[in-house]
């Protein structure tokens, strides 16, 4: 099982168990609205969109223009795609995107 030892705590386990307990999109909206600010949700969703566009071989300039993400954010996400824990790939495969 892979996980970053700096990330794994009892509190993080509880958070992930809470997310895994959600059964549909409406429950996700309700939970995330309570636990995150709108800006935090938007930032997370922006990162997922940036990763999707990078996987589609879009350029940094195209991604920056389309999403409003900074080149620093795009670069960090690109690093995660290339050298990270494969979390994006797991999600994209399960969503049937790539």
């Amino acid at each position: 099982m892979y996980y970053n030892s700096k990330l794994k705590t009892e509190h993080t386990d509880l958070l992930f168990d809470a997310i895994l307990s959600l059964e549909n999109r409406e429950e996700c909206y309700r939970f995330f609205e309570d636990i995150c600010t709108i800006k935090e949700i938007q930032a997370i969703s922006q990162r997922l969109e940036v990763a999707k566009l990078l996987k589609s071989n879009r350029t940094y300039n195209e991604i920056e223009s389309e999403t409003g993400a900074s080149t620093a954010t795009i670069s960090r996400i690109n690093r995660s795609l290339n050298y990270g824990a494969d979390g994006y790939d797991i999600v994209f495969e399960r969503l049937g995107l790539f």
Side-chain angles (χ1 to χ4, degrees), residues 2-96:
Y2 174 87
Y3 59 86
N4 184 328
S5 60
K6 293 178 185 176
L7 179 64
K8 183 160 176 45
T9 67
E10 251 182 71
H11 297 109
T12 308
D13 284 349
L14 178 60
L15 171 63
F16 293 159
D17 289 343
I19 293 168
L20 289 167
S21 77
L22 301 170
E23 294 183 2
N24 56 50
R25 189 176 290 159
E26 181 178 338
E27 287 183 2
C28 287
Y29 271 101
R30 292 171 70 177
F31 177 69
F32 279 91
E33 185 176 336
D34 284 350
I35 201 166
C36 296
T37 66
I38 291 172
K39 289 286 185 190
E40 289 167 334
I41 296 167
Q42 289 170 336
I44 292 167
S45 63
Q46 180 189 62
R47 290 177 190 149
L48 187 60
E49 181 64 16
V50 167
K52 186 179 88 170
L53 293 171
L54 284 166
K55 293 284 286 182
S56 298
N57 297 314
R58 302 285 289 281
T59 67
Y60 277 36
N61 287 338
E62 290 171 328
I63 295 169
E64 183 180 25
S65 175
E66 189 170 326
T67 66
S70 69
T71 55
T73 296
I74 297 166
S75 178
R76 189 180 69 70
I77 294 166
N78 194 44
R79 240 185 341 274
S80 291
L81 287 170
N82 290 315
Y83 306 109
D86 297 325
Y88 285 114
D89 290 332
I90 291 167
V91 168
F92 291 148
E93 182 179 326
R94 291 190 182 154
L95 292 174

